[in-house]
Amino acid sequence: MVELPAFLDSTRPKVPDLSVPRGVTPFYLPARPVRGRLVRLGPLAATLLSRHRHPAPVRALLGQALALAAGLSTALKFNGSFSIQIRGDGPIPMLVVDCTEDGALRGYVRVSEGAQFPDDAVARQLLGDGYIAFTVDHGLDREPSQGIVAIEGRTLAEMADYYFSTSEQLPVRLFLAAAETASGWRASALVLERVAGAGGVGPELSAAEQEEAWHTACLLAETITVDELLDDALSPERLLYRLFHGEGVAVSRPRTLSFGCRCSRQRLGGILEGFNQDDLDHMAVEGQIVMTCEFCNFDFRFARDDVAGRPNPTEGII
């Protein structure tokens, strides 16, 4: 079965057609070994986080993860998707978010039945012990690229910082925020990266001066507040100028983010056809098979008689 592009697939559910044209603002500090991205999901955060009726601490964690995925993926050159998957032994045993090369975002969390979520719960309390996997899926032509690290730290930002500090990649500082505001749920991220000395750094800067420039940029970034990150009225340019004007900050072309669930009746129907007939019979309730997209929380209903499936395995062959 040839899968149709999303815009031609009439079997897709009526999910929001929402884009944020200035979702990611890349920036750099001229002649300094520093670049970064400011992520503002804006109303897209409210749309993504309202697909399930999760408690506020769960939505906040998911919002931070969505902003983090957008911030990290837009630093990469790839065709496919970048994902963050977290598995732990806490009240949230699984969290998954991903962002495609063109900025389509989606995510979901799996919540343990009966779990309690205090309003002040931090990420470590929600996730427990486990691991975080950062994966770039390049499609069918190449094997995925993946990095896995144990969960360390109290907040999601600290957990991601730990991954970068233990990998062979250049230093990264992360600031994440997600909360319900007067305008609805909002989520944001500030990603700061140190680039290699040859990457546009002024030749007059020694290694020690480059280290000092990175340290200064980190100190300036630490002055950012949650309110500033989530304030729709504060433009990315104004916020970045407030933080780094002494370093001569410059912004690059912004990147668009959008509602990115890629489910469709055609795709899920193809999955059902891979089951044998006995399995399909067990799935059916009153002649209907219901498949729910975990990302957009949309129910797809299939009449059992419309799904052929594979023949049942032959038993008792000697």
Side-chain angles (χ1 to χ4, degrees):
M1 179 182 294
V2 177
E3 187 168 329
L4 293 172
F7 68 94
L8 290 178
D9 189 355
S10 61
T11 67
R12 286 174 54 76
K14 293 182 179 180
V15 295
D17 181 12
L18 177 63
S19 295
V20 179
R22 299 171 62 82
V24 181
T25 303
F27 65 91
Y28 62 96
L29 306 186
R32 300 286 191 273
V34 181
R35 68 177 181 181
R37 287 159 309 284
L38 177 60
V39 179
R40 289 280 191 72
L41 268 60
L44 181 59
T47 301
L48 287 164
L49 298 177
S50 65
R51 305 306 295 180
H52 297 267
R53 293 184 177 180
H54 292 311
V58 179
R59 294 193 192 195
L61 179 61
L62 179 58
Q64 291 181 23
L66 288 163
L68 177 62
L72 296 181
S73 66
T74 46
L76 305 172
K77 293 182 179 179
F78 66 97
N79 292 315
S81 65
F82 171 84
S83 67
I84 302 172
Q85 182 178 121
I86 307 177
R87 289 182 178 268
D89 59 6
I92 295 178
M94 176 182 285
L95 181 151
V96 179
V97 294
D98 70 39
C99 186
T100 66
E101 78 274 8
D102 57 1
L105 268 174
R106 63 179 184 173
Y108 78 92
V109 291
R110 186 174 299 163
V111 177
S112 297
E113 186 175 354
Q116 300 297 313
F117 298 95
D119 291 340
D120 59 350
V122 296
R124 187 56 181 270
Q125 292 172 275
L126 301 176
L127 298 168
D129 293 323
Y131 70 84
I132 305 178
F134 299 85
T135 306
V136 180
D137 187 344
H138 303 280
L140 299 178
D141 297 335
R142 293 173 55 189
E143 289 294 318
S145 306
Q146 187 173 70
I148 302 177
V149 68
I151 293 175
E152 293 289 346
R154 295 178 65 255
T155 67
L156 182 60
E158 291 175 358
M159 295 172 189
D161 275 334
Y162 177 75
Y163 166 75
F164 286 104
S165 68
T166 55
S167 71
E168 297 180 359
Q169 302 184 48
L170 292 168
V172 171
R173 288 299 310 277
L174 300 165
F175 304 87
L176 305 174
E180 189 171 18
T181 72
S183 301
W185 276 91
R186 294 293 184 264
S188 178
L190 177 66
V191 181
L192 209 63
E193 297 177 341
R194 177 169 178 175
V195 298
V201 178
E204 71 280 2
L205 289 184
S206 66
E209 289 170 328
Q210 291 183 39
E211 178 64 28
E212 179 62 23
W214 167 248
H215 179 66
T216 298
C218 290
L219 289 177
L220 293 172
E222 287 172 1
T223 67
I224 199 167
T225 68
V226 170
D227 288 343
E228 287 177 322
L229 280 168
L230 302 180
D231 185 359
D232 289 346
L234 180 61
S235 71
E237 291 81 6
R238 285 177 56 200
L239 177 53
L240 291 171
Y241 179 81
R242 202 280 289 169
L243 293 172
F244 303 115
H245 65 275
E247 305 298 298
V249 62
V251 300
S252 303
R253 184 178 179 180
R255 301 279 298 273
T256 298
L257 297 174
S258 62
F259 187 94
C261 191
R262 302 184 291 280
C263 66
S264 73
R265 186 177 182 84
Q266 179 192 39
R267 177 179 296 181
L268 295 180
I271 293 173
L272 285 178
E273 292 291 353
F275 288 91
N276 65 53
Q277 294 171 7
D278 279 347
D279 289 338
L280 293 171
D281 288 341
H282 282 98
M283 294 180 194
V285 177
E286 296 182 353
Q288 295 280 318
I289 298 175
V290 179
M291 296 187 73
T292 302
C293 174
E294 292 182 295
F295 290 97
C296 69
N297 200 31
F298 187 89
D299 289 340
F300 292 84
R301 299 181 180 275
F302 299 84
R304 171 64 185 92
D305 293 342
D306 292 341
V307 184
R310 295 184 293 105
N312 292 324
T314 303
E315 299 180 0
I317 296 180
I318 299 177

